[in-house]
Every structure is written in structure tokens, then in C-alpha cells.
Amino acid sequence: MVRLKDIAGRAGVSLMTVSKALRDEPDVSEATKARIKSLAQQMGYVPDSSAQGLRTRTTKLLGLLIPSTTDPFLARTVLAIEERAHDLGYDLLLMHTLNVPEREEYCIRHMLARRVDGMFISPVYRIEPEARIYKELAAQKARVVLLGPAAPFCNQFPSIHVDDLIGSYMAAQHLVKLGHKRIAFLAGPLAAPWSHARFEGYRRALREGGMDVDDSLVFQAGSTTDDGVKAASQMLSEGCKATAVQAAHDLVAIGFADTLLNQGVKIPRDISIVGFGNTITSEYFRVPMTTIRQPKYRLGLAAVEAMQQLLRGQRAETKRLAAELIVRASTAPLAQQAS
């Protein structure tokens, strides 16, 4: 293992000069810094992060807590966080909640024990207005950035997310402009704030189009393909006469559409479908899906920017990034469906 004194001996300078050069101290010339850093790299020197942490009272370690690495919505966001954190000299401690509150609490406590400098958390949403672990995080003044909208139990922390209401409004407005008047809605999980915002966007677009929400056209779904399959089966069994369907989640839209296609329903000739999220599956589905694009990579960059503010002792604000309507083959004017 290469030590500082090995570099000092090779460079012909003092141990203190090497230490200062590698820390970019101002009282060492730029030429000497460059020579010592180049020599350290050639010799394979790896800084002792534990020693640095004791000196600076930081670990250069950030926690990243998400439901699962298989989550298609978070993959690009996680990539952006990892790349930007690396550029800033931070390592990431990645853990999964599997959307289980007890596991989330365990993971957060583990990260606190590892003395992470800050945490990015995709919350496990629950109906309860308070959660003990989040109260503890606030009491400890932990640096936390939420990946997704805040719920009452975690609204003391800044959050980075897409504008769910406006995104959903654009999706429903697209169907209204195509002439659809019987538009079904597949709602997300009851506890998720984004689910309520997306329903409100749907309701607002209908209201502006001169329509009221028909409760018989609103189905409680969720956020998985299986939830979409169940919603489709329910709609078929009830003989629902919707000409268009808006899903609060791409995976729900995919499961729903796949079930209908297997039953001989033609998309969009018989029914138009819109999702939310712009996952890669939606683009390459049997009928490419009209959806709402979330700027996933930019969400990750915004999350790291917020974390940098917290690490500097500054206040970080919640940010809502704009969504974008992506029109593909799964939607068509009502007139075309009737022809």
C-alpha cells in the first residue's frame, strides 16, 4: 500500500508538502501540486477515507434509498445521482426498501450508523400523517432530499419530482381534444401524493372540457402491470363503455393494454390509452404508448444540486420539473375509432 511518505521520498519533498498538495492547500505552488498528484497517481496511491473523515468530520458518503433497482422510473435518476456524486468526490451507499416501511426504517438507521453525509430517499408512502423514523431524521437535522413528492409524514424535507398535476392534465386534455367524452381513469396507490395529483389533473381537464367525473369510470389500480391487468378485467366484466383510458402509471397502462389486446380489443381503433412516465417499455410495447415523459436524469441532477446546498449549510427548496406529452400510436381521434 502506497503511503504519503513513499510519495515524499520519490518526489524529494517533505511529508507535509505532499499532504498539503493532495489537499490543494494554497501555500503549495500549482507546479508542485501537479507534479505530486501525477506521481501519486502513477504510484497507485489511494487516499485513506477513514483518516480524512476523522479530520474533516465527513465521510464523503451519501445514502441512496429506493424501492428497487428494477424500478423503471428511478433507473435514470439513480444514474444521474451516481455520476454527479462521483464528480463531486462522493461514494454512494445504495439500499432497497422494497416499499416496506419496516425495511425503510432499518435502512435509514443503517445509513445513520454509517454516518453518511446526506441521504436521497424515495419514500415508502403510507396513509399515517406521521412516521417515527422521519421525525428522528428531522430531530437530528439530517440532510435529506426526497425523490418524489412529500407526504405529510416527510414534508419537512425538500423534494425533487415532476409536476404530476400538470402532466396528468396534459394527458387528459390530449384525449379531450381528440373528441373523447367517456374517459376512464386508472388511479395509483391511495397513499401516494403523486396519485392524488394525477387524479386532480385528470379532473381539471375534464372540467375544462365541460364534463364531470363519472365515478363509474374511475378504477383503483396501483403502480404495477398486475394492477393494470386487474383493472382491465374489472372494466371488461362491468361492460364499461369508455372510449379512452388514462392510467396514472405506465406499468398499469401496459398491463391494461396487454389484457385488452389479448381479448381482441384493437388499440386505438376500439379504445385509446395514455400512460404516465415514459418508460422504455411504453415506447416498445406492441402498440407504442402515448404517455407523459418525466425528465428522469434531470431529476437526479436536481436532487444532487439540492444536496449540495444542504451540505453547504444552506436551505434547499422543493423543485417540480416540467413534464412533457409524448404522442404515440395508442391514441386516436374518436371519429377514427367509430369509422
Side-chain angles (χ1 to χ4, degrees), residues 41-190:
Q41 185 176 18
Q42 293 172 21
M43 295 174 68
Y45 171 69
V46 178
D48 186 339
S49 59
S50 297
Q52 289 181 339
L54 288 173
R55 184 172 61 252
T56 64
R57 296 191 176 185
T58 63
T59 59
K60 303 298 284 186
L61 181 66
L62 297 171
L64 177 55
L65 190 54
I66 61 175
S68 169
T69 49
T70 60
D71 188 315
F73 292 94
L74 285 170
R76 290 277 295 165
T77 301
V78 168
L79 176 64
I81 291 174
E82 195 281 330
E83 288 182 347
R84 186 69 183 118
H86 174 78
D87 292 341
L88 296 171
Y90 285 87
D91 292 325
L92 288 181
L93 173 60
L94 175 64
M95 299 187 75
H96 300 140
T97 66
L98 305 181
N99 277 320
V100 177
E102 293 77 15
R103 185 180 176 97
E104 177 189 49
E105 181 170 337
Y106 165 80
C107 292
I108 290 174
R109 292 192 186 284
H110 181 78
M111 289 180 175
L112 290 172
R114 290 289 303 273
R115 303 182 65 82
V116 297
D117 293 334
M119 297 183 211
F120 301 99
I121 303 178
S122 177
V124 177
Y125 293 115
R126 60 268 261 170
I127 298 294
E128 295 78 19
E130 292 186 347
R132 178 181 59 184
I133 190 61
Y134 283 91
K135 291 179 71 174
E136 291 181 21
L137 285 172
Q140 294 186 34
K141 301 187 185 309
R143 304 178 186 96
V144 174
V145 175
L146 302 178
L147 304 177
F153 67 85
C154 58
N155 61 11
Q156 61 270 63
F157 301 108
S159 63
I160 308 297
H161 58 281
V162 74
D163 194 327
D164 293 291
L165 191 153
I166 297 302
S168 180
Y169 169 82
M170 289 190 295
Q173 187 183 53
H174 170 67
L175 295 173
V176 171
K177 286 182 177 179
L178 290 175
H180 296 281
K181 297 188 180 300
R182 292 189 58 78
I183 304 170
F185 187 80
L186 309 182
L190 288 172

Side-chain angles (χ1 to χ4, degrees), residues 14 20 42 76 89 113 157 162 206 212 229 257 270 272 291 300 336:
S14 69
K20 287 185 174 182
Q42 293 172 21
R76 290 277 295 165
F157 301 108
V162 74
L206 262 59
D212 294 323
V229 170
D270 299 326
S272 289
T291 186
Q336 289 185 20

Side-chain angles (χ1 to χ4, degrees), residues 4-5 7-19 21 32 35-36 39:
L4 292 182
K5 71 176 184 178
I7 301 172
R10 183 78 67 85
V13 298
S14 69
L15 182 64
M16 180 63 71
T17 298
V18 172
S19 177
T32 300
R35 183 167 66 89
I36 290 175
L39 187 57

